[in-house]
Amino acid sequence: MVLNIESHEGNIYLANIQKHSQGEKHYISDSSGLPVKFRTISHIKKHCEKQTFENVWLIQNTPYDEMIGLESATGPTRMPLHWAVEADAE
C-alpha cells in the first residue's frame, strides 16, 4: 500500500491510500464520508499507526506561479517520507 499526503495552504493535509501503485486512491474519511483534514503529519502518522505502507509520499501543490500569472510548469512536488513507527516508551 502507498500513503499519499497532500499538503495544502493553511496547514491542511489530506491523506489517501492506494492499494497498488497504479490503483485507485481512497481518501481517509470521517463517518460522514468527507475527507479528514489533518493539521500535522504527526496526526496522520498516529491515525495510521496500525497500517503498514510500502511508500509514503508528501505531495506539495504550489499555486504561486498561477497567482502571479505564470503557468504552473512543474506540477506538484513529490517527496518520499521516512515512516518508521516508533514504539511507545513505557
Side-chain angles (χ1 to χ4, degrees):
M1 285 193 305
V2 176
L3 177 63
N4 297 299
I5 300 171
E6 299 174 7
S7 173
H8 297 274
E9 287 188 54
N11 293 334
I12 295 173
Y13 296 91
L14 300 178
N16 65 67
I17 297 172
Q18 287 179 282
K19 299 282 185 188
H20 308 287
S21 62
Q22 300 299 322
E24 193 174 319
K25 297 176 185 178
H26 298 279
Y27 281 89
I28 296 174
S29 305
D30 62 15
S31 60
S32 61
L34 297 172
V36 175
K37 294 179 184 176
F38 295 97
R39 291 292 178 192
T40 67
I41 292 174
S42 296
H43 289 144
I44 298 170
K45 195 173 221 179
K46 179 137 179 81
H47 183 85
C48 297
E49 67 187 351
K50 296 191 185 326
Q51 296 177 299
T52 303
F53 300 102
E54 296 167 24
N55 294 301
V56 178
W57 295 94
L58 176 62
I59 302 167
Q60 293 182 301
N61 293 297
T62 56
Y64 301 111
D65 286 345
E66 294 175 16
M67 290 172 66
I68 59 171
L70 300 175
E71 283 189 35
S72 178
T74 59
T77 302
R78 290 185 56 169
M79 295 176 281
L81 294 180
H82 177 68
W83 199 259
V85 177
E86 300 171 9
D88 290 334
E90 296 189 32

